[in-house]
Amino acid sequence: MKIHEYQARALLSDGGVPVPDGAMVETVEAARETAQALFDAGTSIVVVKAQVHAGGRGKAGFVKVVSSVDEAVEAATFMLGNTMVSPQTPPEGIAVTQVLVAAGVDIERELYVAITTDRMRRTNSLIASAEGGVEIEQVAHDRPEAILTVPLHPLDGLRAWQATDLAFKLGLTGKQVRQFTAVCMRLAEVFLNTDASLAEINPLVITPASDAHSDGQVVAIDAKFNFDDNAMFRQKAIADCFDPAAEDPDELRANQAGLSFVSLDGDIGCLVNGAGLAMSTMDIIKLHGGEPANFLDVGGDASQEAVTEAFRIILGEDGCKGVLVNIFGGIMQCDRIAHAIVAAAEEVGFTVPLVVRLEGTNVEAARVVLDEAATRLPTMITATDLEDAAAKVCQAVATV
Amino acid sequence: MSILVNGSTKVICQGITGASGAFHTKGCVDYGTKMVGGVTPGKGGQTDANGLPIFDTVSEAVRSTGAEASMIFVPPPFAGDAILEAADAGVDVICCITEGIPVQDMVRVRARLEAYPDSVLIGPNCPGIITPGRRVSGEGSNAVFEGGCKIGIMPGYIHTAKEDAASGKAVGIISRSGTLTYEAVWQTSVLGIGQTTCVGIGGDPVRGMGFIELLERFGDDPETDGIVMIGEIGGQDETLAGQWIKDNLSKPVAAFIAGRTAPPGKRMGHAGAIIGGADDTAQAKMDALRDCGIDVCESPATLGTTMAAAMGVDAAAPA
């Protein structure tokens, strides 16, 4: 699960990490008031940022640095109600309904810090780079030696000395070291307390020396958090941050039915059990010259109603020319799928070719159910194995 | 021969009175697994529908039945604790089927399992482990087996014991994906190739046994003639396993990596990929495995024929 930047900022701030003053607003008037208050408090620049779950905001014109209230109002007027399109958004873009208005910060240095689950080390790791403020994937690709990795203890978390050691390796000096250590410790605490899978501060800025901070101040400018969906049962406050408007409507609908669904560009709808088999089914469709319309893992425990909902979603997608059902029942009982196929046939109706390949738990019972309903499934084609199923659906769709 | 479990392994089910636990305990009993009991706190002293004794704790179950393996169907919030309870009770093979355990729970469980070097964990979020039994009667999904050990949710009838295999050969199967494992099993069975043991290691980022630990065991098992390895996008495990195979294993290996057509933008938070420093796409893994001399299948439908060819079994003349 993802949250917005302003929510991530609040998590850090509540955890004791310094962030610039500011607020999330949903109207131009509120943007004006917030910007006015920030300028009144003595800041010379203000940043207006669209709150969407996608990168590429700066290049798309949805992050604006302004030096007057009027400019802030102009930026907010442009963004609110507008649709942002970037390489990381769907082609139709994402509607912007919230902007963050925050004080600008003078920058001496920009760093990158993040904590994420490290599957190789079976723990979480702190990742840092002296090259913050840029696309970290690019840094990792071009100069992997510029990325420092510090594994957290699986039971004790981050130790202060590890963060201090990292501060020196990043070339920090004087009071910056202690501030950096505190930021890392608090980031680790927030990460673990919220069951995050990623907690990233980019950039983590060091401000120039000032009267208040003789060695500068360490401040989090932008933050990104992702969370472990499996832990949301014990993270009510995080779960409440969920923004349905930021999700793909079909994916959201599928998730609410307990299904794992990703919308793709092709024309062959897929209904499969198990993520690995679902991915493989997409792979083999492509090998046969077809294009999958979606990834759909109905999982093991999906109810008949959930599977019927899956058919509704697949058949409702634009340009669906055929459906491939590939079930190798283990925990999923094939007859449940068969009943759902019949229910979907009665409710929605299959007008496109439906290729069904069933094997595994309760497969005999499933075949009986489908045989009895054969007249209601005029477009159904049964397949004997994976190869046969892929060939049949690709052929059927090609001749539609 | 087999690895980790066989027909004499005594097995309990943690969460035996839940819907999934009860359904699959019956499936294991029907397959011929030596199920000796189950655990549900508060229901100790009762018996389940199969007549198996239910205990309040794992240690009580182990003391009374001599159980050596456990199949866990405990709900996600409590599954991590159930794994550690099994380890502490001295269970050797802990097989956690439960899907949806928080990752941070598994980070802590893995660390705490270090204190129990005699226990191995399979899963979580996996189909389990099976050492196929001999078919004694019936055909297809009505077949009856004996002498095998099925711990988990896989359909038993698709498996073939080495003694029943027309080719006289058998493979070990290691897979990150549940249903794709069945695919590999079915394809080898249809070609007259048996399976010594099949292990679903699970799809979670932090889990129990990995490819290399199991490759090592299959390498040492004289009855295992070849190994099927099924991976996915994400992480570096398959690439590391490929290198290990190149350096240590003389048996033929057939591999498949799922997710070649998965859209790249859909992976989890990008920082996860940065740690490994290398590319973790399906294509990159397939290339890396090929570089290690492993037979990599282009299609998931050719797992069986690729394995057969690598072992010198005539795939054109199935049993």
Side-chain angles (χ1 to χ4, degrees), chain B residues 37-56:
Chain B
V39 177
T40 294
K43 296 197 176 170
Q46 303 178 17
T47 52
D48 84 336
N50 308 291
L52 297 172
I54 301 172
F55 301 91
D56 285 323

Side-chain angles (χ1 to χ4, degrees), chain A residues 119 121-122 124 137 200 228 230 234 273 277 280 283-284 286 328-331 357 359-360 364 387, chain B residues 24 100 102-105 110 141 153 155 157 176 179-180 183 256 259-261 266-267 270 275 299 301:
Chain A
R119 53 200 304 163
R121 296 182 177 85
R122 296 185 184 122
N124 307 292
E137 283 181 303
E200 179 186 77
D228 180 359
N230 290 341
R234 63 184 177 204
N273 66 325
L277 192 60
S280 305
D283 293 349
I284 198 168
K286 211 137 180 169
F328 212 130
I331 207 162
R357 183 275 176 124
E359 201 61 66
E364 306 295 347
E387 181 78 31
Chain B
H24 290 288
V103 176
Q104 296 307 329
D105 286 8
R110 278 296 317 213
S141 58
I153 62 179
Y157 77 89
R176 269 173 71 179
T179 43
L180 202 46
E183 200 58 63
F256 177 72
R260 204 150 49 132
T261 54
K266 283 291 179 183
R267 61 185 155 161
H270 60 224
I275 294 172
S299 161

Side-chain angles (χ1 to χ4, degrees), chain A residues 247-364:
Chain A
E247 307 294 319
D248 175 290
D250 280 341
E251 290 178 19
L252 182 65
R253 219 176 122 191
N255 289 343
Q256 280 165 351
L259 310 163
S260 180
F261 179 90
V262 177
S263 194
L264 303 170
D265 297 332
D267 50 18
I268 299 174
C270 305
L271 187 144
V272 190
N273 66 325
L277 192 60
M279 279 193 283
S280 305
T281 304
M282 287 158 50
D283 293 349
I284 198 168
I285 285 174
K286 211 137 180 169
L287 283 173
H288 281 266
E291 287 290 336
N294 65 278
F295 164 95
L296 173 58
D297 169 13
V298 296
D301 267 340
S303 65
Q304 186 186 315
E305 169 50 31
V307 181
T308 310
E309 174 77 355
F311 279 115
R312 285 185 205 116
I313 295 168
I314 291 173
L315 294 169
E317 290 252 289
D318 290 338
C320 174
K321 288 193 200 159
V323 177
L324 172 55
V325 174
N326 183 23
I327 300 291
F328 212 130
I331 207 162
M332 171 55 76
Q333 297 153 33
C334 288
D335 52 336
R336 192 180 291 169
I337 300 287
H339 283 296
I341 291 174
V342 175
E346 276 167 9
E347 190 190 305
V348 199
F350 288 94
T351 52
V352 295
L354 166 71
V355 176
V356 179
R357 183 275 176 124
L358 299 174
E359 201 61 66
T361 308
N362 291 3
V363 65
E364 306 295 347

Side-chain angles (χ1 to χ4, degrees), chain B residues 241-252:
Chain B
Q243 194 56 49
W244 189 90
I245 290 167
K246 187 181 172 189
D247 296 340
N248 299 284
L249 198 69
S250 55
K251 295 181 181 181

Side-chain angles (χ1 to χ4, degrees), chain A residues 25-87:
Chain A
V25 297
E26 295 177 316
T27 65
V28 173
E29 192 43 44
R32 178 198 304 278
E33 285 166 18
T34 305
Q36 186 69 59
L38 292 170
F39 283 118
D40 289 350
T43 186
S44 57
I45 49 169
V46 160
V47 187
V48 182
K49 301 159 108 175
Q51 298 297 289
V52 290
H53 290 175
R57 290 182 301 178
K59 280 185 187 143
F62 284 78
V63 174
K64 289 266 169 66
V65 180
V66 300
S67 47
S68 71
V69 174
D70 286 347
E71 281 176 35
V73 167
E74 193 187 328
T77 307
F78 167 74
M79 291 179 202
L80 287 168
N82 202 344
T83 302
M84 182 185 118
V85 179
S86 84

